[in-house]
Amino acid sequence: MDENAPQGIDPTVPSVARMYDYYLGGKDNFAADREAAEQIMRLAREAGSDVREVALANRGFLIRSVRHIAESGVRQFLDIGAGLPTQDNVHQVVQRVAPGSKVVYVDNDPIVLTHAQALLADNPDTFSVQGDLHRPSDILQAAAAHLDFSRPVAVVLVAVLHFFHDDDEVSKIVSTLRDVLVPGGHLVLSHGYVEPDEGDPAKLAEARGVYRRSASGAIAWRDRETVRGYFDGLELLEPGVVPAQEWRNDDPYRPPGLAKGGVLGAVGRRA
C-alpha cells in the first residue's frame, strides 16, 4: 500500500484489519501495521504458535461455514467487521453456490470501506455500510435497507469480538444480533482463545499492549464455555465450538503452529 494514506487515515496507528491483511500475506498495510503484526508474530512464536497459520485457519473456517450455510438455502449474509477484501470473500463464496445471494459488509474503518466499495462496484447484490459494533442496533437498521430480516439471514462475526474487552458488552452485542434471527437464520462466530494454563502471562500482557496501541485499543481471549454461551437459544451445528481449523475440515494436515491457542469457531442455527 502506498504510504500516502487516504484522507482521514493515520498511517502511524496500526489497524487490526490491516494487521490481519499482513498475516494473510496481503499488501494493503502500512509500516506501523507491519511492525505491530511482527511483534505479535514474535510473541506467538515464543509461545509455540504461528499467527499466520492461525489467520489462515480462521479464513478457512469463514469460507467453509458460509459455503455450508449457502448450500443449506440461506440467501442473505451480514458480515460485521469484514476487514479488508482478500481472496474468497463472503460474497464470492456464497454467490458461487447461489448467484443472487445478498451480502452486506459492515466495518468502522474508512479504508476498509473504500476498498470494499471499489471491489463491489460491479456487484449489484453486495453492499458495504459503515457501522460500529458498539451500536449493533444501528448496524441492523442500516443493513435492513438491503436485507429482509423477516427471512433467514446469516450474521457473520468472525475474529471481531476479541477486540472488545468488556464481557458484558460483548454478551449484549451478540444477544442483539442473535435476537433478529428467524428460523433458518444462522450465527457464524470465531474468537481468539488460549488453552487453559498454556498462556504465558507476560507474553499475553505484551500482546495486549501491542493491540492497545492499535485502532481497536483492546484484545481479549475468552474460553470455550464463554464462546458457547454466545449461541444460547440456537442449535449448534456439529462439531460445536472447536478450533477453527477443525470445523468441518476434511484436510487431515494440521500445521504445528496451531498446537497452542488460536481461534475457536462455531455456527449456530435458529430452529
Side-chain angles (χ1 to χ4, degrees):
M1 178 185 288
D2 191 301
E3 297 296 331
N4 295 318
Q7 186 175 4
I9 302 298
D10 185 351
T12 67
V13 177
S15 155
V16 296
R18 297 191 301 265
M19 289 169 66
Y20 185 58
D21 175 71
Y22 181 70
Y23 297 148
L24 291 172
K27 302 184 184 304
D28 291 313
N29 45 72
F30 297 123
D33 306 312
R34 296 188 287 274
E35 180 181 354
E38 286 289 350
Q39 290 176 347
I40 295 296
M41 291 164 66
R42 172 183 59 79
L43 291 168
R45 282 195 301 272
E46 292 172 357
S49 186
D50 186 320
V51 170
R52 282 198 157 132
E53 293 289 0
V54 170
L56 289 168
N58 182 71
R59 195 73 189 177
F61 162 74
L62 171 66
I63 292 168
R64 293 191 304 277
S65 60
V66 298
R67 181 192 301 125
H68 167 78
I69 293 169
E71 289 172 345
S72 74
V74 175
R75 298 293 178 260
Q76 301 185 105
F77 294 78
L78 176 60
D79 186 357
I80 303 175
L84 286 162
T86 182
Q87 294 299 310
D88 270 347
N89 300 283
V90 171
H91 74 283
Q92 293 167 320
V93 175
V94 303
Q95 289 171 1
R96 281 199 296 268
V97 174
S101 295
K102 293 188 181 299
V103 179
V104 173
Y105 291 109
V106 181
D107 211 285
N108 66 346
D109 187 333
I111 200 167
V112 169
L113 293 173
T114 298
H115 279 261
Q117 288 161 3
L119 176 73
L120 306 175
D122 60 351
N123 190 317
D125 296 312
T126 310
F127 313 89
S128 62
V129 300
Q130 187 160 8
D132 189 332
L133 197 48
H134 289 289
R135 298 185 293 277
S137 295
D138 291 351
I139 288 176
L140 293 173
Q141 183 176 355
H146 309 290
L147 303 176
D148 178 1
F149 284 98
S150 70
R151 300 177 62 81
V153 174
V155 175
V156 180
L157 290 169
V158 167
V160 62
L161 293 176
H162 48 235
F163 296 117
F164 291 73
H165 71 276
D166 187 313
D167 293 340
D168 289 339
E169 182 185 20
V170 170
S171 294
K172 290 176 182 175
I173 288 169
V174 178
S175 176
T176 299
L177 298 170
R178 192 177 60 221
D179 286 350
V180 303
L181 298 178
V182 300
H186 288 69
L187 174 65
V188 179
L189 191 151
S190 71
H191 197 296
Y193 81 109
V194 177
E195 290 287 3
D197 303 323
E198 288 194 347
D200 182 322
K203 288 183 173 59
L204 292 175
E206 190 174 347
R208 288 191 187 96
V210 173
Y211 278 108
R212 197 172 294 119
R213 295 189 291 275
S214 76
S216 80
I219 182 75
W221 293 272
R222 295 182 172 93
D223 60 29
R224 198 176 303 228
E225 286 307 308
T226 299
V227 173
R228 186 175 287 111
Y230 297 147
F231 293 89
D232 282 352
L234 303 181
E235 171 195 358
L236 264 178
L237 302 190
E238 291 294 337
V241 180
V242 296
Q245 65 273 14
E246 296 179 11
W247 198 89
R248 303 199 177 191
N249 189 356
D250 295 330
D251 183 355
Y253 173 66
R254 298 291 184 271
L258 293 172
K260 296 182 179 180
V263 175
L264 293 170
V267 177
R269 179 182 182 275
R270 177 77 71 193

